[in-house]
Amino acid sequence: MDMLIARDVSVTASFDGGIVPVIQELSFSLPAGRILGLVGESGAGKSMIGRTIAQLLPPGFSVASGELMFDGQDLIRLPAETRRELLGRDIAFVPQEPLSGLNPVLTIGRQIDEHLGRLNFGHARLRRERALDMLNAVHLSHGADLLDKYPHQLSGGMCQRVLIAMAFASKPKLLVADEPTTALDVTIQARIVELIAELQSREKTAVVFITHDLRLAAQICDNIMVLYAGRPAEVGPARDIFSNPAHPYTRCLQLSNPTVSGPRRDLYALPERMPGLSAIKGIVGCLFAARCPNVIEACTKALPPFIDIEPGHVATCIRPEATKAIAPPGLQRAELPQAGQPLLEAKGLTKIFKSSHGFFRRTAFAAVKDVSFTLNEGEFVGIVGESGSGKSTVARLLCGLEKSGEGAIVIADRDVTDGGAVSRQHQRTHVQMVFQDPQSALNPRRRVGSIVTQAMEAAGGSTSAERLSRAEALLSEIGLPPEAALRFPAQLSGGQRQRVSIARALCVAPNILIADEIVSGLDVSVQAQLLNLLMALRRRRSFSMLFISHDLSVVRYLCDRVLVMRLGEVVESGPTEQVFASPSHAYTRALLAAVPPDDPTVIWNPRGAEVAAPVLTATL
Amino acid sequence: MRNILPPWLRSARVIIGLSIIAVIALCAVFAPLLAPHDPNEQNLLTTFLPPVWAQGADSAYLLGTDSLGRDVLSRLIYGARVAMMVAVIASFGAMVIGATLAYLAGYFGGRIDSLIGRAVDVWMSFPPVIMSLILMVGLGVGLRNVILAIVIVDWTRFCRVLRSEVLVVASKDYIAAARLVGFSHWRIITREIIPASLPLLITLVSLEMGIAVIVEAVLSFVGLSVSSQTPAWGQMIADARQYIYDSPWNLLFPALTIFFAVFGFNMLGDGLRRTLDVRLTAVQRV
Ligand code: SF4
């Protein structure tokens, strides 16, 4: 029996004085006990669908037509009161950001208890027993202790487990999970997904699983709907969609994601971005036409209809047969510069952070412990690790933002460990850094042109005309139009901001670039653009790079050598291919196991991800 | 038209506040031109005249006269000079000291921060009114000492609020990036941090001006401020207090004037805070 059926649902928003379509022609059916994956990049409208089900559309948005049948009732036309009763009981939600789903000033126990109270779960003792059972079911041991804790005392993964426990408490018929693992570390991600799948199959719950990760969706979902600019691009059985994509967008998404196994292939980088709300209205034909490699004239004449590829597999593309032919351009790795002399050497780096609580209690926490490695000329070295592994601290130590406690840093034959004025000057001309969050890394009050040439401003002796022309040169090198020099960061997209951040680092022509998680939080197609840009810059400028990331596939794509860090220590290092093909440390194996396999027919066993829980602080 | 104006100028509070302050500022600057009489000119024959709209008034004295027959309106207009002078100089003085320490504490952190933080805590443990009275007794009377007392007491307001703002800005990656490209500390503070905290600074100054007006009125009420030759609002209240049954108007007008001045500064400060505070506007947008 179908638990949730969408029939031609469309959602509109009033925007800039007009009505624009946000979701168009959305139709699907989700039987009980099945998982439907909604896949797309940001702006594809996948979260809007979740919000439509919850009737939590932002102000100005409304359902224009269609019906959304849940268990025989149309959610859209249901009186508010009945709907409110359904939500939270028959329809449960798991949010993206676990901390935002919990009230920070109430204990976990209070929140679960209130939730059970709302579900009429008997008196207080019964509710407490039930709460402990629930925590058990999501594999949280020490449930009794947890009940007295506040959300901020738990890790993100634990909070997400609590939310999942609460979601399943009422034995809901439908669960909507909106990117439930995006904010979490890879190994924890895998466990959370596994947990949802486990409870789902036990309770026979229908699940709408919203994600940007096609590989993950192919692995755990029965059916997948790929969305583009608010309209379904392709719908069908998960395996079919993954192994035989019919819509060019699906194919490009797949090709823009680097792999962790098999031969290293080049990335397909879609040009530009998905049209925003204001642009969609003006598009006559296929919404994907502006970026589609297979576009023909007929595509821009009319919105392509739903075309059957196989029974149960439809795509909105008028020439699905051409999709297979899309292939990434060859990047010719052979042309890449060969590694030369050692350029940067870290010897026994150690960083201990001390914090004091009151007068007597001091805790010390070794963020980095005895880390040694070399970076050679023209080489790309990756550091992978999860949060708390100390990888970002290593980056800050190397560029001089943080002083190391012990150990030595030698850059281009000069020991800069002392951190004196001359050393810092030397360090600056050789090492530059690109930061993780481009929002925080760019001063919102400066124009892009002034941001990228800040190094010239610091050095002095340049006129503003000189700086502007240099800014334009740098911008064209990183693929932005010269007019961008006059914009403010707020007027750029996330990917463009990250490019500006790269341009600023390149301004002094450093021979070492340190990139700290620079593609995390970006859409896959934007990520592919940036990764290809780095490859192109590498060929042209032949600098060395230390690329820090939690994403193994990205490191594999970009780097010649890799260091795996855990709790401040390097646990494994070696040539990328070797480490990925035959990892020797248990933690590396766990990290690799946590990534959904590239081939959906391979059974995914994230249980390989079992590692002892880390102990982070030692009290002195 | 509406969109040309910056958002802070579109706020009703800001407009109301600014207009009130503009009127008072104009009075202060052009007092000799605006005042119908010499504020100190006595006329013992026409004491306690009521304002024009009341019975027995003289149209030459719009707001009546006081116990010595001086024109109330003229005294109010001249009184704006003292009030504005104290408001401007004292709040800027407090801002300079408080903000400097706040930037040092927030940017450098560590020992400097805890030292300054301690000083602020100790300072704020004294009740401000008592502290300023003790200071006045120590320093002696006079307008200059009133300003000094306000600066010494109130710099902590700036320091405390601004410091937490500077902490937030200083932790942004663009500050780290500026250090990496070789900006000096001085340059980072002046080019990157001050512009980011300027809205807050302006807001604090306008709120502080309101406070300074009150403090000056209180001190001149108890006779610790300007000499009796200079008209000041607090002094007018003190004078009128003795004759409250003969002429309640004399008490009412300066009190109302002080009220409006403080109201104006607070409206401006509040309006600026609402429109310039990024965190607050972000919340409203959501
Ligand atoms: S209809 Fe045309 S433009 Fe649209 S996806 Fe298919 S080939 Fe590309």
Side-chain angles (χ1 to χ4, degrees):
Chain A
M1 191 199 113
D2 286 342
M3 191 51 71
L4 184 68
I5 306 171
R7 284 197 200 103
D8 210 7
V9 173
S10 70
V11 176
T12 55
S14 48
F15 189 78
D16 267 353
I19 301 286
V20 293
V22 179
I23 303 283
Q24 306 177 52
E25 298 176 62
L26 178 77
S27 298
F28 62 78
S29 63
L30 172 61
R34 292 302 172 89
I35 306 183
L36 169 72
L38 297 179
V39 181
E41 299 177 286
S42 49
K46 54 191 193 308
S47 293
M48 259 333 137
I49 297 174
R51 281 165 166 254
T52 309
I53 296 171
Q55 293 286 299
L56 277 174
L57 288 171
F61 289 67
S62 61
V63 178
S65 65
E67 53 186 23
L68 196 58
M69 304 298 289
F70 167 74
D71 210 8
Q73 294 163 289
D74 186 356
L75 284 178
I76 294 163
R77 282 167 197 86
L78 225 49
E81 202 159 312
T82 332
R83 201 168 54 215
R84 220 170 300 132
E85 236 162 65
L86 283 180
L87 298 176
R89 198 188 62 210
D90 292 338
I91 306 178
F93 291 86
V94 179
Q96 171 169 12
E97 194 53 69
L99 273 177
S100 71
L102 291 168
N103 186 339
V105 298
L106 296 182
T107 59
I108 300 292
R110 254 306 274 294
Q111 302 191 40
I112 297 182
D113 190 61
E114 279 183 6
H115 183 65
L116 293 178
R118 234 174 285 139
L119 298 170
N120 297 326
F121 254 101
H123 58 81
R125 253 241 312 288
L126 252 173
R127 290 205 298 263
R128 191 181 155 84
E129 264 167 36
R130 174 88 182 120
L132 291 175
D133 285 349
M134 282 159 51
L135 293 180
N136 233 342
V138 292
H139 309 297
L140 283 170
S141 43
H142 307 299
D145 295 343
L146 271 183
L147 290 181
D148 296 328
K149 293 248 162 69
Y150 290 90
H152 67 92
Q153 293 171 305
L154 309 184
S155 69
M158 286 164 103
C159 286
Q160 199 60 292
R161 275 165 198 260
V162 170
L163 285 168
I164 291 170
M166 284 164 70
F168 277 99
S170 54
K171 300 197 186 302
K173 295 175 184 153
L174 174 69
L175 179 78
V176 179
D178 186 359
E179 304 240 21
T181 60
T182 310
L184 306 173
D185 272 330
V186 260
T187 51
I188 297 163
Q189 253 183 43
R191 312 267 289 278
I192 294 291
V193 169
E194 208 190 8
L195 177 67
I196 293 180
E198 178 193 324
L199 295 175
Q200 177 269 336
S201 68
R202 191 196 302 161
E203 309 281 351
K204 298 274 167 290
T205 318
V207 176
V208 174
F209 192 87
I210 300 171
T211 179
H212 62 276
D213 190 341
L214 187 58
R215 216 160 23 178
L216 178 63
Q219 199 49 241
I220 65 158
C221 299
D222 301 294
N223 281 293
I224 287 183
M225 171 182 282
V226 179
L227 288 149
Y228 188 81
R231 189 165 187 256
E234 186 164 7
V235 193
R239 297 262 156 102
D240 268 10
I241 294 224
F242 199 84
S243 44
N244 186 21
H247 196 282
Y249 178 59
T250 318
R251 171 96 178 139
C252 292
L253 264 189
Q254 226 173 14
L255 290 176
S256 57
N257 220 343
T259 54
V260 286
S261 59
R264 266 209 272 199
R265 57 168 169 73
D266 292 325
L267 297 188
Y268 187 89
L270 279 172
E272 305 291 325
R273 280 190 293 153
M274 196 181 300
L277 278 189
S278 48
I280 291 175
K281 207 182 169 191
I283 301 176
V284 183
C286 176
L287 297 171
F288 188 56
R291 303 168 78 192
C292 182
N294 286 348
V295 62
I296 51 170
E297 198 159 344
C299 300
T300 56
K301 294 282 183 281
L303 210 54
F306 288 80
I307 290 171
D308 284 315
I309 310 295
E310 279 164 51
H313 182 176
V314 288
T316 51
C317 172
I318 55 170
R319 40 186 312 225
E321 67 289 344
T323 300
K324 261 216 160 60
I326 301 174
L331 272 179
Q332 292 121 23
R333 277 177 193 269
E335 273 180 31
L336 294 175
Q338 290 302 302
Q341 295 296 307
L343 192 57
L344 179 148
E345 269 177 275
K347 297 176 196 155
L349 283 187
T350 299
K351 177 73 190 177
I352 294 176
F353 287 111
K354 292 197 180 78
S355 56
S356 51
H357 315 271
F359 269 117
F360 299 109
R361 272 194 59 223
R362 280 182 207 286
T363 52
F365 155 57
V368 174
K369 277 179 269 183
D370 195 20
V371 168
S372 304
F373 64 92
T374 26
L375 177 64
N376 297 321
E377 270 173 25
E379 194 184 29
F380 274 32
V381 171
I383 300 185
V384 288
E386 298 181 284
S387 52
S389 64
K391 55 193 196 310
S392 292
T393 311
V394 169
R396 295 176 72 88
L397 286 173
L398 291 178
C399 58
L401 285 173
E402 207 81 69
K403 265 186 99 156
S404 69
E406 279 166 48
I409 301 169
V410 178
I411 294 167
D413 298 326
R414 198 199 137 86
D415 190 325
V416 296
T417 324
D418 64 351
V422 187
S423 291
R424 279 214 310 274
Q425 173 67 31
H426 180 79
Q427 210 163 3
R428 271 203 298 275
T429 51
H430 285 88
V431 186
Q432 282 293 324
M433 179 156 165
V434 185
F435 295 86
Q436 169 171 9
D437 175 12
Q439 178 94 33
S440 155
L442 305 180
N443 187 341
R445 281 166 207 83
R446 276 179 184 266
R447 290 179 196 278
V448 167
S450 126
I451 290 173
V452 297
T453 54
Q454 245 177 318
M456 295 171 79
E457 190 185 327
S462 54
T463 65
S464 60
E466 274 167 21
R467 289 204 293 270
L468 187 63
S469 72
R470 178 100 176 92
E472 285 175 355
L474 280 167
L475 289 177
S476 84
E477 196 172 353
I478 50 106
L480 285 182
E483 310 88 76
L486 298 177
R487 304 249 177 83
F488 285 101
Q491 294 166 293
L492 304 178
S493 70
Q496 289 172 325
R497 281 184 216 155
Q498 204 54 286
R499 283 169 192 256
V500 170
S501 205
I502 294 173
R504 170 176 58 192
L506 290 178
C507 183
V508 292
N511 39 28
I512 302 169
L513 208 58
I514 298 179
D516 186 7
E517 295 272 15
I518 61 170
V519 291
S520 71
L522 297 178
D523 279 322
V524 267
S525 66
V526 180
Q527 170 179 299
Q529 288 169 8
L530 271 179
L531 294 180
N532 282 353
L533 170 70
L534 286 177
M535 283 298 217
L537 287 171
R538 181 182 186 185
R539 258 198 308 272
R540 208 177 316 144
R541 291 213 174 203
S542 65
F543 51 80
S544 312
M545 181 148 94
L546 199 61
F547 189 87
I548 292 161
S549 178
H550 68 280
D551 188 333
L552 293 111
S553 58
V554 170
V555 168
R556 178 169 183 258
Y557 176 69
L558 215 54
C559 301
D560 312 305
R561 278 194 302 131
V562 60
L563 311 171
V564 181
M565 280 188 77
R566 175 166 185 251
L567 302 182
E569 286 172 292
V570 176
V571 296
E572 180 163 6
S573 65
T576 312
E577 285 302 273
Q578 188 187 319
V579 170
F580 278 71
S582 52
S584 63
H585 194 278
Y587 181 64
T588 317
R589 281 199 292 275
L591 279 180
L592 281 166
V595 181
D598 304 307
D599 178 357
T601 54
V602 173
I603 307 279
W604 182 29
N605 175 25
R607 273 285 152 201
E610 209 67 61
V611 203
V615 184
L616 280 177
T617 43
T619 308
L620 279 191
Chain B
M1 170 62 202
R2 272 182 85 82
N3 287 326
I4 298 169
L5 294 171
W8 58 272
L9 253 184
R10 276 180 257 154
S11 143
R13 285 165 203 267
V14 174
I15 294 172
I16 294 173
L18 270 183
S19 343
I20 293 176
I21 295 163
V23 169
I24 299 174
L26 284 177
C27 287
V29 174
F30 299 109
L33 300 177
L34 293 172
H37 298 268
D38 180 332
N40 288 324
E41 183 191 278
Q42 299 182 4
N43 187 346
L44 293 176
L45 296 176
T46 54
T47 58
F48 298 127
L49 282 179
V52 276
W53 57 86
Q55 227 178 7
D58 182 337
S59 61
Y61 302 97
L62 282 178
L63 297 181
T65 56
D66 66 2
S67 59
L68 295 174
R70 296 173 295 195
D71 179 35
V72 169
L73 179 62
S74 306
R75 288 181 71 73
L76 283 179
I77 290 174
Y78 271 89
R81 297 193 139 184
V82 170
M84 287 308 266
M85 193 144 83
V86 172
V88 172
I89 299 176
S91 46
F92 270 89
M95 179 201 76
V96 168
I97 296 177
T100 309
L101 291 175
Y103 286 124
L104 292 177
Y107 178 69
F108 290 106
R111 198 157 291 175
I112 300 179
D113 186 25
S114 58
L115 210 69
I116 294 175
R118 259 327 121 71
V120 171
D121 285 344
V122 170
W123 226 262
M124 295 191 79
S125 61
F126 293 107
V129 176
I130 309 232
M131 190 165 167
S132 45
L133 284 175
I134 293 174
L135 272 173
M136 287 311 294
V137 171
L139 295 167
V141 296
L143 194 59
R144 196 169 352 133
N145 292 340
V146 169
I147 291 173
L148 204 59
I150 295 176
V151 171
I152 292 173
V153 173
D154 272 354
W155 64 271
T156 51
R157 282 179 206 274
F158 288 90
C159 193
R160 200 176 45 115
V161 180
L162 206 57
R163 175 187 158 270
S164 39
E165 172 89 359
V166 174
L167 273 182
V168 172
V169 179
S171 69
K172 296 271 193 221
D173 284 339
Y174 68 80
I175 303 297
R179 271 166 69 192
L180 282 186
V181 298
F183 268 36
S184 62
H185 292 315
W186 169 250
R187 227 189 173 122
I188 290 179
I189 292 180
T190 52
R191 299 278 173 80
E192 310 280 313
I193 295 183
I194 292 187
S197 54
L198 209 55
L200 180 64
L201 208 57
I202 295 172
T203 307
L204 287 176
V205 168
S206 92
L207 292 175
E208 178 64 26
M209 285 181 169
I211 294 170
V213 168
I214 296 183
V215 173
E216 192 281 326
V218 170
L219 291 176
S220 65
F221 179 82
V222 295
L224 289 173
S225 181
V226 287
S227 72
S228 55
Q229 285 308 305
T230 322
W233 297 339
Q235 222 176 38
M236 292 173 70
I237 295 182
D239 288 347
R241 190 185 42 142
Q242 301 162 30
Y243 309 105
I244 183 159
Y245 298 110
D246 301 305
S247 172
W249 302 107
N250 278 346
L251 191 73
L252 199 60
F253 288 124
L256 274 179
T257 313
I258 293 172
F259 171 79
F260 271 112
V262 175
F263 177 75
F265 284 121
N266 281 355
M267 279 306 246
L268 178 66
D270 197 38
L272 289 175
R273 188 179 58 81
R274 280 159 189 265
T275 43
L276 296 179
D277 190 328
V278 252
R279 277 156 303 175
L280 212 80
T281 40
V283 169
Q284 279 168 352
R285 257 179 234 134
V286 168

